[in-house]
Structure formats: structure tokens, C-alpha cells
Amino acid sequence: MDNGFPVLTDSFLSGQDIFYGQFNDIEFYVEDTEQEHFYYNIFKTLFPELKFGKIFPLNGKTNVKDAARINAGNKKKVYIVDLDFDHIIGTVENLNNLFYLKKYSIENYLFSKEAIYEAIRTKDSKLKDHEIDAIFNYDELLNLAANSLKELASAFIIIQKHALGIEYYNFNLTKDFDFSIASPYYRMNFITDYLNFVDSELKKKNNRYSLQAQITKLRRYFNNLIEALSNIPGKHLLIFIKERLQALKLIDQIKIESFTYALSKDFMSNDLDYLRTNVTNYIR
């Protein structure tokens, strides 16, 4: 129990597949307990020929990796994890039944132009693509998101790489950004104070380090839009996009969980062709 509400334990999550074995040709295991429903939407699109009634979240990447090791060689069990910053830090683990996404998280695949336009049409279903184009620039939004968030994302990498033990910054678009000034558009000192704190904690690890010097070393992971949108945490990107669309009156006020789930119904499946191919080759 947690604050009076029942909590799903790791032991329960690791054993829940027993109850669904008869309904699943393949059992897909993922990290987050809050993501199973839109993973289900995505995997049903990617693998329409497979029968499965449930996705199994295991509450964290460590649990997924541990389960993959235990079930090595079991072609019915497929383990999928977010890339996070593992490729940058050098912590990718190679197991034949463990499949990494090629972007930070599954959310990084959800904001295609088609999916965003469908989200806009939930408010006004009559809008045609060219009418949306006239009032909203999709590419400009993505560039704005990347330029606004890449410095924070670089700080997150440094936090992980040097084990600083600092929570990721939870930004508030209205409070933290001012789009009337030049990039990076920071309003007040909340983000800069956070970055200064990361810098001070980094110096405690090694006083020869500075945050800005470390960020400069990471520039290649953000030096074009494709790289930036792959390496910035997807949830942050979706929050940014949602808040901007709301500010432009293009969508109604909506929770980020609902926005994410809606996008999962219209994502571009070809962006995950590599995952479909790799999983299909494994289960044959």
C-alpha cells in the first residue's frame, strides 16, 4: 500500500504473464507501468499478425534486463527498453531477446506531423491539412522545442554519466520560457539556477569539470534536428508540444497522459520498422 492505495509490486508484475499465457502468441515486456496502453496500440500496429491481449510492464529497465537474462532463448518472450542515454554513456547491454529503441523513449516516436494534425482535429474535425498549415508551422514547433530543451537534456546526460544523484528538472512552459526573446528563451532564473546547481555538484565530483565544457562535448548529439529530437527525453518534448498547441488554441486543455495516448493511435509505424524486423527475426 502507498498512501492508502494498492501498489503493484515487482513480484506481481513479473508473474502476471502466467494469467495471460493462453491469450498471447508473444509476450511483450516493457519498463513503465503507466505506458502499457499506448505500447499496446503501437505493437498492435507493428505486429497485426500476432495475437496478444496485454503488454507486461516490469517497473524499470533493470527489471526488464534481469527478466531478459533469466529467459534467454525463450522465443515467446520479447523485452523492449528505452534507449535513454545508454548509447552516449556506454551502458547498452547486448542480449538476443532484449531490444532497444533507437530514440530516448517510445514517446519520441509519437509526434509525427500526421499524429499532431489528428490531435488538432480532435478540437475541430473539419480542418483540412492545408488549413492547419496556414495557422501552424509544424517544423517551426519542433525546432523551437529542440532549441529550448537541448541544454537541459545535456545536463541530464551529465547527471547520469557522473552519478550526481540529481532529479531531472520538471519544467513549466509558462513559468520557464519566454518566446519573445532569443534562444534559449529562458524566463526568470529557474532553469539557470538548476543548471548552476548541476555545475556545483559536478565540481564536487571533480573540480576540473565545468558544466558548460561538458555540454560542449555533447554537442554532436544535438547538432541537428533529427539528433536532438532523438536524444531529448520524449516526455519533455510532448509536454512542450502540448503546451504550445494549447497556447495557440489548436487543442483543448488536456492532461499529458491523454495527449500521449491520443498520439499513439496515429503514430507513423514505419519509424519503428527496424523494431518490427528485429523482433520478427528473433521469434521465428
Side-chain angles (χ1 to χ4, degrees), residues 2-229:
D2 184 9
N3 296 323
F5 293 95
V7 174
L8 298 180
T9 64
D10 287 351
S11 59
F12 171 82
L13 291 171
S14 65
Q16 62 182 321
D17 53 354
I18 296 172
F19 300 104
Y20 291 88
Q22 62 181 313
F23 305 110
N24 289 357
D25 291 333
I26 295 294
E27 292 164 352
F28 290 103
Y29 299 86
V30 298
E31 297 180 40
D32 297 329
T33 55
E34 297 178 353
Q35 292 182 324
E36 58 184 291
H37 297 299
F38 69 79
Y39 262 113
Y40 181 84
N41 285 343
I42 290 168
F43 290 169
K44 274 298 184 183
T45 300
L46 288 177
F47 305 102
E49 73 284 0
L50 296 179
K51 181 182 75 172
F52 55 95
K54 182 176 173 58
I55 302 297
F56 302 104
L58 296 181
N59 194 30
K61 181 179 287 185
T62 298
N63 289 342
V64 176
K65 286 183 174 182
D66 289 346
R69 292 188 205 98
I70 292 170
N71 292 288
N74 187 336
K75 296 297 185 86
K76 187 175 180 178
K77 297 179 182 292
V78 172
Y79 299 86
I80 297 172
V81 292
D82 295 338
L83 182 58
D84 297 319
F85 300 127
D86 291 10
H87 61 307
I88 300 174
I89 299 172
T91 54
V92 171
E93 187 165 353
N94 294 312
L95 299 169
N96 65 352
N97 57 348
L98 180 68
F99 301 89
Y100 280 83
L101 301 177
K102 290 186 176 180
K103 298 182 181 182
Y104 182 92
S105 67
I106 195 68
E107 288 97 334
N108 292 70
Y109 290 91
L110 300 184
F111 46 83
S112 66
K113 187 173 184 178
E114 292 76 8
I116 293 296
Y117 276 35
E118 284 304 306
I120 291 171
R121 273 191 275 267
T122 61
K123 182 175 181 180
D124 185 352
S125 61
K126 296 179 182 179
L127 282 174
K128 305 292 191 297
D129 282 1
H130 71 274
E131 293 173 317
I132 298 175
D133 289 338
I135 56 177
F136 161 71
N137 189 313
Y138 170 78
D139 293 327
E140 184 178 282
L141 174 62
L142 295 189
N143 276 289
L144 187 63
N147 288 331
S148 299
L149 298 175
K150 63 184 179 182
E151 187 173 35
L152 273 175
S154 297
F156 300 159
I157 297 170
I158 293 160
I159 289 168
Q160 289 293 316
K161 181 178 180 180
H162 297 282
L164 299 184
I166 300 171
E167 294 288 332
Y168 287 178
Y169 185 82
N170 290 317
F171 71 89
N172 178 295
L173 206 64
T174 303
K175 172 175 66 72
D176 290 327
F177 293 94
D178 181 353
F179 299 106
S180 67
I181 61 176
S183 174
Y185 323 108
Y186 298 150
R187 181 196 299 276
M188 298 186 281
N189 295 320
F190 296 108
I191 291 178
T192 52
D193 286 349
Y194 174 81
L195 295 173
N196 288 336
F197 176 64
V198 175
D199 185 53
S200 68
E201 293 300 300
L202 181 63
K203 283 182 168 61
K204 290 178 183 178
K205 289 281 186 175
N206 189 324
N207 60 16
R208 295 175 299 172
Y209 290 155
S210 75
L211 180 63
Q212 286 305 316
Q214 295 293 307
I215 286 176
T216 298
K217 292 180 179 180
L218 297 171
R219 188 173 294 162
R220 65 191 178 97
Y221 297 105
F222 304 93
N223 63 1
N224 61 62
L225 186 60
I226 293 174
E227 288 289 332
L229 295 178

